């Protein structure tokens, strides 16, 4: 990956950290950031790694860039500018983690929803205030949030303008953990290291079968068949048996 204007990208051995880097705008997601997120996705599609997404400064992302949204029309809406990149992030081969501090609102919340796992700092807040601006939460909230927290809570957030604080998000299953404010990224690093100890192929196929759109016993069997033939599986199980008999 080369340099970016709106992101800070740091590559580790097992994972990549992408920091949204517009802190003066509370990391509002603009067209330039969308373009750069597509570049990150293209790289992770070619060379799969675990992804951590976080925000610079005090917030994850306080929404899409309203100045840009105000001048977008029908054609831009039909292009699904933000929705397309969030869907691409959701479809990345290996697990993705959102490390959320402060505000994750509008498009920022939808980016967090697109990740596989979310970790929240104690001051995190999730919300979708789009109807108050005369628009739809159309970059994934309308279908992802209900899957994550149930339709009733999703309607409270999208229709009732409810903001979920960190503890509410934990109670409803939106986040996996709540840590001290400022600690979400560190916790995400620890989680990514733990995930990275698993078989990359097993993770990739496990994510694919979990995200399949309908019951899929044959898909599970096919994925398992691939894994059963992998040298990694044999090596891992041999190490397990040797350790248990030591």
């Amino acid at each position: 990956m080369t340099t970016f204007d709106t992101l800070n990208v740091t590559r580790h051995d097992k994972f990549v950290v992408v920091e949204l880097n517009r802190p003066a705008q509370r990391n509002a997601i603009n067209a330039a950031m969308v373009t750069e997120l597509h570049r990150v996705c293209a790289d992770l599609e070619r060379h799969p790694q675990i992804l951590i997404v976080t925000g610079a400064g005090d917030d994850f992302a306080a929404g899409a860039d309203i100045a840009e949204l105000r001048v977008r029309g029908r054609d831009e809406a039909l292009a699904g500018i933000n929705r397309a990149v969030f869907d691409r992030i959701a479809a990345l081969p290996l697990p993705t983690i959102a490390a959320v501090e402060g505000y994750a609102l509008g498009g920022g919340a939808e980016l967090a929803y697109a990740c596989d796992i979310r970790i929240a700092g104690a001051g995190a807040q999730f919300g979708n205030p789009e109807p108050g601006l005369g628009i739809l939460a159309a970059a994934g909230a309308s279908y992802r949030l209900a899957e994550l927290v149930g339709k009733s809570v999703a309607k409270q957030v999208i229709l009732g303008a409810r903001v979920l604080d960190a503890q509410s998000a934990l109670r409803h299953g939106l986040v996996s953990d709540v840590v001290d404010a400022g600690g979400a990224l560190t916790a995400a690093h620890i989680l990514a290291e733990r995930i990275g100890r698993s078989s990359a192929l097993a993770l990739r196929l496990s994510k694919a079968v979990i995200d399949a759109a309908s019951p899929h016993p044959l898909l599970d069997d096919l994925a398992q068949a691939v894994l059963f033939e992998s040298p990694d599986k044999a090596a891992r199980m041999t190490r397990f048996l040797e350790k248990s008999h030591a």
Side-chain angles (χ1 to χ4, degrees):
M1 296 185 195
T2 55
T3 58
F4 298 88
D5 293 324
T6 68
L7 306 174
N8 292 323
V9 178
T10 307
R11 187 182 291 278
H12 298 258
D13 180 40
K14 295 289 187 179
F15 59 92
V16 172
V17 178
V18 172
E19 181 184 62
L20 312 180
N21 188 33
R22 302 183 72 216
Q25 296 79 30
R26 293 187 169 181
N27 301 321
I29 299 168
N30 63 359
M33 186 180 288
V34 167
T35 297
E36 294 188 342
L37 286 170
H38 275 295
R39 287 171 53 196
V40 171
C41 288
D43 186 79
L44 292 175
E45 289 159 356
R46 289 191 300 268
H47 310 288
Q49 280 189 288
I50 297 161
L51 170 66
I52 297 173
V53 182
T54 193
D58 297 329
D59 298 298
F60 182 76
D65 191 298
I66 302 301
E68 288 189 359
L69 284 180
R70 186 175 62 175
V71 298
R72 288 182 185 174
R74 176 191 60 198
D75 291 343
E76 288 83 4
L78 290 173
I81 295 170
N82 289 8
R83 190 265 315 149
V85 74
F86 298 163
D87 284 354
R88 194 172 183 183
I89 289 169
L92 286 172
L94 290 178
T96 55
I97 304 165
V100 180
E101 303 280 358
Y103 288 120
L105 302 177
E110 290 172 307
L111 172 55
Y113 303 157
C115 293
D116 295 308
I117 301 171
R118 286 149 295 280
I119 296 173
Q125 298 188 65
F126 299 83
N128 288 97
E130 285 92 340
L133 295 168
I135 59 174
L136 182 73
S142 60
Y143 48 96
R144 284 199 182 93
L145 186 57
E147 290 184 355
L148 293 169
V149 301
K151 187 173 288 189
S152 175
V153 176
K155 286 183 175 180
Q156 292 171 44
V157 172
I158 297 172
L159 305 181
R162 179 182 177 187
V163 174
L164 297 177
D165 62 21
Q167 288 299 326
S168 295
L170 179 65
R171 187 166 62 252
H172 292 298
L174 180 60
V175 303
S176 63
D177 295 285
V178 175
V179 297
D180 290 342
L185 182 57
T186 297
H189 277 237
I190 294 170
L191 176 59
E193 291 282 2
R194 185 168 77 238
I195 293 172
R197 292 195 288 271
S198 294
S199 158
L201 181 59
L203 288 169
R204 187 168 184 170
L205 292 176
S206 295
K207 178 173 176 175
V209 298
I210 291 169
D211 286 343
S214 60
H216 41 71
L218 178 58
L219 177 59
D220 287 22
D221 290 346
L222 290 170
Q224 190 74 299
V226 171
L227 292 172
F228 272 17
E229 295 296 322
S230 71
D232 190 41
K233 170 254 192 183
R236 286 172 179 271
M237 291 192 174
T238 298
R239 287 197 300 271
F240 175 85
L241 291 171
E242 289 173 348
K243 186 181 298 184
S244 65
H245 292 135

